[in-house]
Amino acid sequence: MYTLYYGTIVHTPTISSIEININTLVGVNSNGTIDFIHKNLSKDVNPIKFFFNNHSPSDPIKEFKFNDNSQNPLQFFCPGFIDTHIHASQYPNLGIGIGVPLLDWLKQYTFPMEESFKKENLLMAEDVYNKVISRTLSCGTTCASYFTTIDYDTTTLFTDLLLKHGQRGFVGKVCMDHNEPYPQYSESFEQSIESQQKILNYIESKNSKINARYSEKKGTLSTCNHDHSRLVTPIITPRFAPVCSDPLLQTLGAISLANSLPIQTHIAENLKEVALMKELFPQFENYASVYDHYQLLTNRTILAHAVHLDDDECKIISERGCTISHCPTSNSFLSSGEAPIKKYLKHNINIALGTDLSGGFDSSILGIMKHSILVSHHLAMPEEIDDSNKLSIKEVMYMATQGGAKAVGLGDTIGTFHVGKQWDAQLIDLASSNSYLDVFEWQVPDTKGDPTKAVEKINELLGRWIFNGDDRNCMKVWVNGNLVVDKEDTSDGWVIV
Amino acid sequence: MYTLYYGTIVHTPTISSIEININTLVGVNSNGTIDFIHKNLSKDVNPIKFFFNNHSPSDPIKEFKFNDNSQNPLQFFCPGFIDTHIHASQYPNLGIGIGVPLLDWLKQYTFPMEESFKKENLLMAEDVYNKVISRTLSCGTTCASYFTTIDYDTTTLFTDLLLKHGQRGFVGKVCMDHNEPYPQYSESFEQSIESQQKILNYIESKNSKINARYSEKKGTLSTCNHDHSRLVTPIITPRFAPVCSDPLLQTLGAISLANSLPIQTHIAENLKEVALMKELFPQFENYASVYDHYQLLTNRTILAHAVHLDDDECKIISERGCTISHCPTSNSFLSSGEAPIKKYLKHNINIALGTDLSGGFDSSILGIMKHSILVSHHLAMPEEIDDSNKLSIKEVMYMATQGGAKAVGLGDTIGTFHVGKQWDAQLIDLASSNSYLDVFEWQVPDTKGDPTKAVEKINELLGRWIFNGDDRNCMKVWVNGNLVVDKEDTSDGWVIV
């Protein structure tokens, strides 16, 4: 099946540019790869005829779908969101424990919740994991880098559920063997490594089977880059340095290196944690150096939070090409601090966004974009307003998409609309039937009239979407070209030839 | 019609207390007044039998409705929200203009929008006003104190629409005759006062007609306090001191005094405005003293924003019994500052909440409760965490209900569930069919089991509601006992005898 998408597309090729193209025709082949993009077609052009006139006849197109969203000027396609920091097992705790200080909050809510994820509770785990995947997908999150728990059985179950729902996911079994603040929830070094290795094998075997099935079904796929279409990847996940022994940090660094695997962990989330690190690792100059020592800082490392980093740390992180996962909602909820993102950008560090469920309470990356801007205003405000601290709409949209793609090592695969990338996308409708935002007649762009004016209006509507919209405006979601969420009642938009 | 409500009720009688009562029976008479409240009935008691056994037979009950929500332990009744600062005419601009500095923002978006509200544009005004009233009602806002514009015709239209939708509302025609930053949108002193007087007459005449109709229809109503059941009240609204001439401020103070009318205005929203005030009113010690001089600080005055007040101002405001309408969402969006609400509470100032559409982007007071807590964390965070700045769930819930009721002079009429107050209420369902928040089986309170445990669980769920819930959890809304919003498909919950 070859699919044509026609309408407005919005994406951020760089952190300082947003591109809005109306009447744009995108072709996606049967591998889910973007085959061509024809921007800003004249209103007189029939897109289907245009396609057949311009598309190379050698392509093996047997049937195609035409998804025409150009008739609704309040709809646009944008890249799927990428959530680079989310604790799947903590999903039931969203919004709980606001008055409780961090350490008590962890002991009272987080660790008991994580501890309950085990073989004896598979049904409970399945319920939670199904719901968190469905919820984030329905918010437009096409890819997420998850922490599960220390447990093997429920982590493999989670892998299966990602595949079932069709969300692109990075599965991080939590590793922690030291200084456990909640003794009931712990593992030894040996247990941690054994369990990690079994999970790597499990996911590898799943992927091999899927690839074999694909190759069997469609000859064409054997020539495509399997890394592009693979949905689930393991990610090495030392919880954070204070709860990992020396050997564990060392071994995890080595496993990542040997298997070319991405890494995720926490860094400098709050001041007490930074002080604790100084106490636990007195021989190191700073927090980042600890991870660096154990080869845990790579160009596929996600460092979550990073609220309190000094300039030396920024330099190391920048040199190693790591990504900072900015989690403003969580940082405000838990009073962790205000991460100086503009400072990190000046250090040329890649920034992505994370919901950090359940330190954060909002499952939607659209919500995190909003919070990122608001928190940057708080950084700007204490005395005189310092505009240099403020994040813009295009910056947070980049972080939510291409910044996230780079974070997980898929910068060439997803995150923007470019030929050769996978169609991981969402269809936004600002006038969806149950929309929380009301758009007025005079605010509707005329996408069949003056293109400059139409683009200006769409640009203004992006503010309305980010600040006043929510998951109700996300109508369809595709991963690898497959439709995985469809909230529309009718199939009017679809013509199958 | 006499109505019985049965289920869980949640309210905040004081700023430091939250009351959760399960299996509670509330009787509301045909005036919409709460007649009795029987809390925590034993599960063996049949509430209807209990009602007939305990209710005085002399009451003229001919028919009654029984609204039983005790079967769904994730539903509860809570007082309707009160939005004490909202610009109705700015509704189309929500979320627009994030990168633009305040003064440009006003010139580019706010004033042109307000200016368009005039006789020639009645249809447009009707569309906007219908939508803002419907939207806030569907978020559980049973009462709001609105700014309209300087215009007479569309302000009276707005009054009619409040009555049509059944929302309790305070209608503030904007008064501004001086230093207009956008000359196309201005009025002279004489025009302002004439227009204000005509609006007072219009609303007075509307209310007289309604009261006459009521008295005609139902004999009982002639004995009830009409002030309780009246829906629409004018509120004197000098936009803010910098755009009002001396005579205008003086006359508005006098009109309020002569007619016992409430007052609303802005104060100390941002630092540039405070500096401007010093320049414009050099003879006064501070911003608050200006309003005080013109008799504009009363116990029915709402001062919106109040981000930058000194201690002297706090003392005056406290002594006069004014309310501060806290608008955290707007203050963050426009980088106005972080209002030190805990400091104001120490000064014994009443605090209420405002959406401040469209400086604020969120139409829901539930959202403003969430932002109030988050912004208080930002105040607490810069260096070491200062917990004394943090607002709690009960504090923001009080501000959203009883604090708002006191703000508009209806502290004895609405805001909590007490005998003699009006039934301005909402039914929250944390498991509504389209809820954004997922509640898990083990989080559901057993309201037919141990009451202490059930109340504990409900208390925890309030955090989930405020941080993870939204308008989709607000299922029904009543004003003066009348059902004005009903999102339930079926009428299963209702038994009509």
Side-chain angles (χ1 to χ4, degrees):
Chain A
M1 178 76 75
Y2 197 96
T3 312
L4 293 177
Y5 298 91
Y6 187 53
T8 300
I9 66 169
V10 178
H11 72 153
T12 44
T14 70
I15 194 157
S16 53
S17 65
I18 194 160
E19 250 186 49
I20 299 171
N21 295 111
I22 58 172
N23 303 322
T24 293
L25 187 66
V26 181
V28 175
N29 71 22
S30 59
N31 295 334
T33 309
I34 298 176
D35 206 27
F36 68 82
I37 301 177
H38 295 299
K39 293 173 183 171
N40 309 318
L41 294 190
S42 153
K43 62 180 171 179
D44 308 321
V45 168
N46 175 318
I48 297 184
K49 278 190 190 158
F50 183 89
F51 168 61
F52 280 108
N53 289 339
N54 287 273
H55 204 75
S56 153
S58 67
D59 281 7
I61 295 172
K62 285 170 198 156
E63 47 174 353
F64 78 95
K65 259 196 291 201
F66 178 56
N67 196 1
D68 183 4
N69 291 90
S70 69
Q71 301 310 311
N72 184 338
L74 292 171
Q75 292 187 343
F76 59 89
F77 298 101
C78 82
F81 291 138
I82 297 161
D83 185 348
T84 54
H85 188 58
I86 170 169
H87 295 265
S89 61
Q90 293 176 23
Y91 183 60
N93 281 346
L94 301 199
I96 286 182
I98 183 76
V100 184
L102 180 63
L103 204 64
D104 297 332
W105 180 81
L106 285 168
K107 280 191 199 168
Q108 201 169 330
Y109 300 107
T110 309
F111 292 129
M113 178 61 72
E114 291 194 18
E115 196 264 335
S116 68
F117 281 70
K118 47 194 173 191
K119 205 169 189 172
E120 303 88 296
N121 285 336
L122 277 181
L123 278 179
M124 184 278 290
E126 189 174 357
D127 187 22
V128 172
Y129 283 157
N130 263 325
K131 286 204 168 96
V132 71
I133 296 169
S134 308
R135 180 65 67 187
T136 53
L137 265 179
S138 90
C139 293
T141 299
T142 50
C143 175
S145 190
Y146 286 102
F147 283 55
T148 57
T149 67
I150 63 174
D151 182 59
Y152 168 80
D153 296 287
T154 50
T155 297
T156 52
L157 168 72
F158 181 70
T159 304
D160 297 348
L161 294 175
L162 280 176
L163 290 168
K164 184 186 116 191
H165 287 280
Q167 188 178 48
R168 197 185 292 279
F170 289 76
V171 178
K173 168 235 169 327
V174 172
C175 296
M176 50 192 282
D177 68 340
H178 191 52
N179 290 328
E180 295 88 347
Y182 188 77
Q184 299 93 307
Y185 180 53
S186 65
E187 53 179 3
S188 67
F189 165 72
E190 291 75 17
Q191 284 169 329
S192 186
I193 295 301
E194 189 198 336
S195 167
Q196 176 65 78
Q197 198 54 57
K198 275 169 64 190
I199 287 165
L200 297 187
N201 297 343
Y202 183 86
I203 297 177
E204 184 52 39
S205 123
K206 274 271 164 181
N207 280 327
S208 305
K209 275 185 206 152
I210 291 165
N211 286 342
R213 259 208 317 277
Y214 265 110
S215 309
E216 221 168 88
K217 267 193 192 167
K218 329 187 191 175
T220 54
L221 249 182
S222 58
T223 59
C224 95
N225 183 343
H226 282 173
D227 273 350
H228 283 193
S229 53
R230 89 187 265 164
L231 274 183
V232 178
T233 308
I235 183 164
I236 299 300
T237 307
R239 187 179 197 109
F240 71 142
V243 295
C244 298
S245 68
D246 245 44
L248 185 62
L249 291 170
Q250 191 145 22
T251 310
L252 291 177
I255 292 177
S256 156
L257 201 64
N259 300 274
S260 301
L261 287 176
I263 297 164
Q264 62 183 351
T265 189
H266 298 82
I267 196 169
E269 181 172 355
N270 78 38
L271 291 169
K272 280 193 182 157
E273 169 208 357
V274 173
L276 177 66
M277 278 298 290
K278 284 214 171 95
E279 215 180 290
L280 293 174
F281 296 88
Q283 69 276 37
F284 290 97
E285 288 222 342
N286 51 42
Y287 201 152
S289 302
V290 177
Y291 289 135
D292 196 37
H293 172 77
Y294 295 107
Q295 300 184 285
L296 289 163
L297 298 188
T298 76
N299 64 359
R300 290 180 74 194
T301 296
I302 301 170
L303 297 168
H305 298 286
V307 179
H308 309 279
L309 294 180
D310 64 31
D311 278 345
D312 289 340
E313 291 179 293
C314 291
K315 271 181 211 153
I316 301 173
I317 290 167
S318 174
E319 276 166 21
R320 300 290 177 268
C322 312
T323 290
I324 286 175
S325 175
H326 181 37
C327 306
T329 318
S330 166
N331 296 340
S332 299
F333 186 83
L334 295 175
S335 306
S336 303
E338 298 159 347
I341 296 303
K342 282 291 218 179
K343 180 176 109 176
Y344 300 157
L345 287 174
K346 274 185 205 138
H347 276 279
N348 212 17
I349 297 172
N350 182 51
I351 310 288
L353 301 181
T355 57
D356 188 32
L357 306 185
S358 69
F361 49 80
D362 194 340
S363 312
S364 155
I365 287 291
L366 187 72
I368 309 306
M369 289 161 70
K370 177 176 73 184
H371 284 119
S372 296
I373 293 178
L374 294 173
V375 167
S376 79
H377 286 202
H378 281 276
L379 255 175
M381 276 193 303
E383 305 288 321
E384 287 305 298
I385 294 170
D386 177 7
D387 280 339
S388 71
N389 270 316
K390 289 188 182 176
L391 292 171
S392 67
I393 285 178
K394 58 190 168 197
E395 285 169 334
V396 299
M397 189 162 163
Y398 177 89
M399 293 171 193
T401 54
Q402 181 62 12
K406 281 172 83 173
V408 294
L410 297 178
D412 295 331
T413 307
I414 54 175
T416 58
F417 295 134
H418 281 111
V419 172
K421 284 196 168 186
Q422 294 303 100
W423 183 252
D424 277 27
Q426 44 181 327
L427 175 67
I428 303 300
D429 185 355
L430 299 181
S432 60
S433 61
N434 58 350
S435 176
Y436 183 58
L437 86 95
D438 291 307
V439 180
F440 291 86
E441 210 185 310
W442 70 88
Q443 297 177 318
V444 178
D446 177 9
T447 49
K448 301 299 173 196
D450 179 344
T452 313
K453 279 190 189 156
V455 167
E456 255 172 38
K457 281 198 172 178
I458 294 167
N459 198 31
E460 198 162 270
L461 286 170
L462 293 180
R464 305 219 55 203
W465 173 47
I466 292 170
F467 284 98
N468 205 211
D470 60 26
D471 57 300
R472 284 170 276 194
N473 301 110
C474 174
M475 300 308 292
K476 294 185 184 191
V477 181
W478 296 265
V479 177
N480 267 340
N482 297 315
L483 185 68
V484 291
V485 173
D486 186 354
K487 300 182 193 168
E488 283 183 356
D489 301 337
T490 66
S491 54
D492 288 354
W494 294 80
V495 182
I496 301 186
V497 181
Chain B
M1 179 74 77
Y2 198 96
T3 312
L4 293 177
Y5 299 91
Y6 187 53
T8 299
I9 66 170
V10 177
H11 71 152
T12 44
T14 71
I15 194 157
S16 54
S17 65
I18 194 159
E19 249 185 51
I20 300 170
N21 295 110
I22 58 173
N23 303 322
T24 293
L25 188 65
V26 181
V28 175
N29 71 22
S30 60
N31 295 333
T33 309
I34 299 175
D35 208 25
F36 68 82
I37 301 177
H38 295 299
K39 292 173 184 173
N40 309 320
L41 294 190
S42 153
K43 62 180 171 178
D44 308 321
V45 169
N46 175 319
I48 299 184
K49 277 191 191 158
F50 183 88
F51 167 62
F52 281 109
N53 289 340
N54 286 273
H55 204 77
S56 151
S58 67
D59 282 5
I61 296 173
K62 286 169 197 155
E63 48 173 353
F64 77 95
K65 256 197 294 202
F66 179 55
N67 196 1
D68 183 4
N69 291 89
S70 70
Q71 301 311 310
N72 184 338
L74 291 171
Q75 291 188 341
F76 59 89
F77 298 102
C78 81
F81 291 137
I82 297 161
D83 185 348
T84 54
H85 188 58
I86 169 168
H87 295 266
S89 61
Q90 294 176 24
Y91 183 61
N93 281 346
L94 301 198
I96 286 182
I98 183 75
V100 184
L102 180 63
L103 205 65
D104 297 332
W105 180 82
L106 286 167
K107 281 190 199 169
Q108 200 169 330
Y109 300 107
T110 309
F111 292 128
M113 178 62 70
E114 290 194 19
E115 196 265 335
S116 69
F117 282 70
K118 47 194 174 192
K119 205 170 187 171
E120 302 88 294
N121 286 335
L122 276 181
L123 279 178
M124 184 276 292
E126 189 173 356
D127 186 22
V128 172
Y129 283 158
N130 264 324
K131 286 205 169 97
V132 71
I133 297 169
S134 308
R135 180 65 65 187
T136 53
L137 265 180
S138 90
C139 293
T141 299
T142 50
C143 175
S145 190
Y146 287 102
F147 283 55
T148 57
T149 67
I150 64 174
D151 182 60
Y152 168 81
D153 296 287
T154 49
T155 297
T156 52
L157 169 71
F158 181 70
T159 304
D160 296 348
L161 294 175
L162 280 176
L163 290 167
K164 184 186 116 191
H165 288 279
Q167 188 177 47
R168 196 184 292 280
F170 289 77
V171 178
K173 170 235 168 327
V174 172
C175 295
M176 51 193 281
D177 69 338
H178 191 53
N179 290 328
E180 296 89 347
Y182 188 76
Q184 300 93 307
Y185 180 53
S186 64
E187 54 179 2
S188 68
F189 164 72
E190 292 76 17
Q191 285 169 329
S192 187
I193 295 301
E194 190 197 335
S195 169
Q196 176 66 77
Q197 197 55 58
K198 276 169 64 190
I199 287 164
L200 297 187
N201 297 343
Y202 183 86
I203 297 177
E204 183 53 39
S205 125
K206 274 272 163 181
N207 279 327
S208 306
K209 276 185 207 152
I210 291 165
N211 286 341
R213 259 207 319 275
Y214 265 110
S215 309
E216 222 169 86
K217 267 195 193 164
K218 330 188 191 175
T220 55
L221 249 183
S222 59
T223 58
C224 97
N225 183 342
H226 281 174
D227 272 350
H228 282 196
S229 54
R230 89 187 266 163
L231 274 184
V232 179
T233 307
I235 182 162
I236 299 301
T237 308
R239 187 179 198 110
F240 69 142
V243 295
C244 298
S245 68
D246 245 46
L248 185 61
L249 290 169
Q250 191 144 22
T251 311
L252 292 177
I255 293 178
S256 156
L257 201 63
N259 301 274
S260 301
L261 287 176
I263 297 164
Q264 63 184 352
T265 189
H266 298 83
I267 196 168
E269 181 173 355
N270 77 41
L271 291 170
K272 281 192 182 158
E273 169 208 359
V274 172
L276 177 67
M277 278 298 289
K278 283 214 171 99
E279 216 180 290
L280 293 173
F281 297 88
Q283 69 275 37
F284 291 97
E285 289 222 343
N286 50 42
Y287 202 153
S289 302
V290 178
Y291 288 134
D292 196 36
H293 172 78
Y294 295 107
Q295 299 185 285
L296 289 163
L297 299 188
T298 76
N299 63 2
R300 289 181 74 195
T301 295
I302 301 170
L303 297 168
H305 298 285
V307 179
H308 310 279
L309 295 179
D310 65 30
D311 277 347
D312 289 341
E313 293 179 292
C314 290
K315 269 180 211 152
I316 301 172
I317 290 168
S318 174
E319 275 165 22
R320 300 289 178 269
C322 311
T323 290
I324 286 175
S325 175
H326 180 37
C327 306
T329 318
S330 167
N331 296 340
S332 300
F333 186 82
L334 296 175
S335 307
S336 303
E338 298 159 347
I341 297 304
K342 282 291 216 177
K343 179 176 107 174
Y344 301 156
L345 287 174
K346 275 185 203 137
H347 277 279
N348 213 18
I349 297 171
N350 183 50
I351 309 289
L353 300 181
T355 57
D356 188 33
L357 306 185
S358 68
F361 50 80
D362 195 341
S363 312
S364 155
I365 287 290
L366 187 71
I368 310 305
M369 290 161 70
K370 176 176 73 184
H371 284 121
S372 297
I373 292 178
L374 294 174
V375 167
S376 80
H377 286 202
H378 281 275
L379 256 174
M381 273 191 308
E383 305 287 321
E384 286 304 298
I385 295 171
D386 178 7
D387 280 339
S388 72
N389 270 316
K390 291 189 182 175
L391 293 170
S392 67
I393 285 178
K394 59 190 168 197
E395 284 169 335
V396 298
M397 189 160 163
Y398 177 89
M399 293 170 193
T401 54
Q402 180 64 11
K406 282 172 83 172
V408 294
L410 297 177
D412 295 331
T413 306
I414 54 175
T416 57
F417 296 133
H418 281 111
V419 171
K421 284 196 169 186
Q422 294 302 101
W423 183 252
D424 278 25
Q426 45 182 326
L427 175 67
I428 303 300
D429 184 355
L430 299 181
S432 60
S433 61
N434 58 350
S435 175
Y436 184 58
L437 86 95
D438 291 306
V439 180
F440 291 85
E441 211 185 310
W442 71 88
Q443 297 177 319
V444 177
D446 177 9
T447 49
K448 302 300 174 196
D450 179 344
T452 312
K453 280 190 189 155
V455 167
E456 256 172 38
K457 281 198 171 179
I458 295 168
N459 198 32
E460 199 163 89
L461 286 170
L462 293 180
R464 305 220 55 202
W465 173 48
I466 292 170
F467 284 97
N468 204 211
D470 59 25
D471 58 300
R472 284 170 274 194
N473 301 109
C474 173
M475 300 308 292
K476 295 185 183 191
V477 181
W478 295 265
V479 177
N480 267 341
N482 298 315
L483 186 68
V484 291
V485 173
D486 187 353
K487 300 182 194 170
E488 284 183 355
D489 301 337
T490 65
S491 56
D492 288 353
W494 294 79
V495 182
I496 301 186
V497 182

